[in-house]
Amino acid sequence: MEMKIAGARAAQYVFSGITLTPVNPTCTLVSDSISVPLGTHPDTRFTGLGATTDKVPFSIQLSCSGGDPNTQIKPFVTLSGTTDTQVPSVLALTGSQVSGVGVEVLRNGAIQGFGAANGWQAGTISQGTANFQIDLEARYRQIRNTVSGGGSANALATFTIDYQ
């Protein structure tokens, strides 16, 4: 590390042989790709704007370790993805012949938004917690007056977890 004042070297520090150990617990994803099959549904299932299919539960699994006694971290989750232009709380379908529906993600029964402004705290992970699970649900939602087309109806979301 070098410290400069007005362009001239004021001090130089050399660090070597240092091992850093996190003071707080650390976590890793058990799986970085989560598939959520939402099932097959006839277009007659969608009876008007806002009609939904049943919620399908899924979870983000974390494997945690380390940390000094009595320490904890707070995971904050942000979802991102391509959302519908008219209904920004619904993921747009990707590469699909189906139109008029999208996918929404729920947490504790509440629809989740997408983007940095819609992040939320997923809980608290204390030292000694080996596994932590973030429970979510997904479902199709009708977002246009009519639903048409057939075949697969897939959407893609990305989650980011920040720890504080």
Side-chain angles (χ1 to χ4, degrees):
M1 181 173 104
E2 198 172 274
M3 182 189 312
K4 292 186 177 185
I5 298 175
R9 183 185 305 176
Q12 181 175 357
Y13 301 94
V14 178
F15 301 99
S16 63
I18 296 174
T19 301
L20 298 176
T21 304
V23 189
N24 294 318
T26 58
C27 299
T28 58
L29 291 169
V30 172
S31 174
D32 60 358
S33 179
I34 303 167
S35 179
V36 185
L38 297 180
T40 301
H41 305 281
D43 59 2
T44 55
R45 170 76 185 245
F46 300 99
T47 57
L49 286 173
T52 62
T53 59
D54 293 334
K55 296 179 278 188
V56 176
F58 69 100
S59 62
I60 300 169
Q61 303 278 337
L62 302 175
S63 175
C64 307
S65 63
D68 289 346
N70 302 314
T71 59
Q72 60 187 19
I73 56 174
K74 297 174 183 172
F76 286 81
V77 177
T78 302
L79 300 173
S80 58
T82 302
T83 57
D84 182 75
T85 57
Q86 296 176 23
V87 187
S89 62
V90 174
L91 288 167
L93 300 181
T94 57
S96 176
Q97 298 300 314
V98 177
S99 65
V101 298
V103 175
E104 63 185 4
V105 178
L106 301 94
R107 180 177 68 93
N108 298 327
I111 299 167
Q112 298 301 291
F114 296 88
N118 294 298
W120 40 271
Q121 183 180 338
T124 300
I125 302 170
S126 298
Q127 185 272 334
T129 301
N131 299 299
F132 188 79
Q133 180 171 300
I134 302 168
D135 293 321
L136 300 167
E137 299 168 311
R139 66 182 175 192
Y140 290 117
R141 173 176 287 278
Q142 184 173 347
I143 55 175
R144 301 289 184 273
N145 289 326
T146 58
V147 174
S148 62
S152 64
N154 299 321
L156 180 67
T158 301
F159 59 85
T160 303
I161 302 176
D162 294 304
Y163 300 93
Q164 295 181 7

